[in-house]
Amino acid sequence: MFGRSKLGGAVAYLAAAFLLLPLIAVIPVSFTPKRFLSMPDGGLSLRHYRALFEDGVWLSSIGTSLSIALAASLLATVLATMFGLGLWFRRPRGAAVLVGFALLPMVVPPVTSAIILYFLLAKLRLLDTMTGLVIGHAIMTLPFAVVAMLSAFARLDRNLELAARNLGASTLQTIFLVVLPNLRGGMLSAWFLTFILSWEESTVTLFTSGIEVVTLPKRIWDNLRLDVDPVVASISVVMVVITAAVIIVRALVRHRYSTPS
């Protein structure tokens, strides 16, 4: 038994190393003193990190992506929670069909979804606007929030609703004082997942913006296509570090509250 678990752990570490190697390779490139993507030859330089934090264009794109990701993730989480509440309370016969419709953007190829959103936002006159991108990102990330919330509802004891009703609570009181407080972990997971997905969303962004609103993935795409500035490598390293830090903090917090005192 110990041998099998040890072998499984070794395979897991090898798989993790294989997935992380491309990310690790970006780190030395970000310290190159040259003006093009290359491995540092003899010396290291922080010029591209300084350029990242001194260039208002990059900072503006980071702020735009952050604003859109926050708004889209909140919208997707709220919609997924409302969807889950409806299924949990009403238990309709066509629940499987409704879930299938909610998960449809996850199945449809991203390019197809991007084209559909392009015509939809054009009809609404929301192309190349913050509002249009928030709607597009929320639609694309909504299925993942739905999956997270349905998992949370599946672990929720239905006797909580019955107890609240027996004590005289109304439907709204039951939702806000009993059900939702017990879904905080699921809502946090849904928000975190949709935030990360919205932050890195590029396909819909390429189709529905590009002049007035430029997100960080769009800026990186344009840079790689037209300029190939090593600042892109610096951004990649910074984002990997931030993402890893957030995941570690989230894991520590989850472990802290899941461990009995």
Side-chain angles (χ1 to χ4, degrees), residues 205-225:
T205 306
L206 290 173
F207 274 80
T208 59
S209 71
I211 299 176
E212 298 295 332
V213 181
V214 182
T215 63
L216 183 60
K218 179 66 168 59
R219 182 75 63 189
I220 293 174
W221 170 266
D222 291 341
N223 188 276
L224 290 175
R225 188 166 59 93

Side-chain angles (χ1 to χ4, degrees), residues 178-253:
V178 179
V179 177
L180 292 183
N182 286 279
L183 294 172
R184 285 176 294 186
M187 288 189 289
L188 181 61
S189 298
W191 174 83
F192 179 78
L193 180 60
T194 52
F195 177 84
I196 295 298
L197 292 172
S198 175
W199 174 265
E200 66 177 11
E201 170 59 46
S202 58
T203 306
V204 170
T205 306
L206 290 173
F207 274 80
T208 59
S209 71
I211 299 176
E212 298 295 332
V213 181
V214 182
T215 63
L216 183 60
K218 179 66 168 59
R219 182 75 63 189
I220 293 174
W221 170 266
D222 291 341
N223 188 276
L224 290 175
R225 188 166 59 93
L226 302 174
D227 192 19
V228 194
D229 193 332
V231 174
V232 173
S234 303
I235 293 175
S236 301
V237 174
V238 171
M239 298 315 303
V240 168
V241 171
I242 292 175
T243 303
V246 171
I247 292 174
I248 291 172
V249 170
R250 180 177 178 273
L252 291 175
V253 171

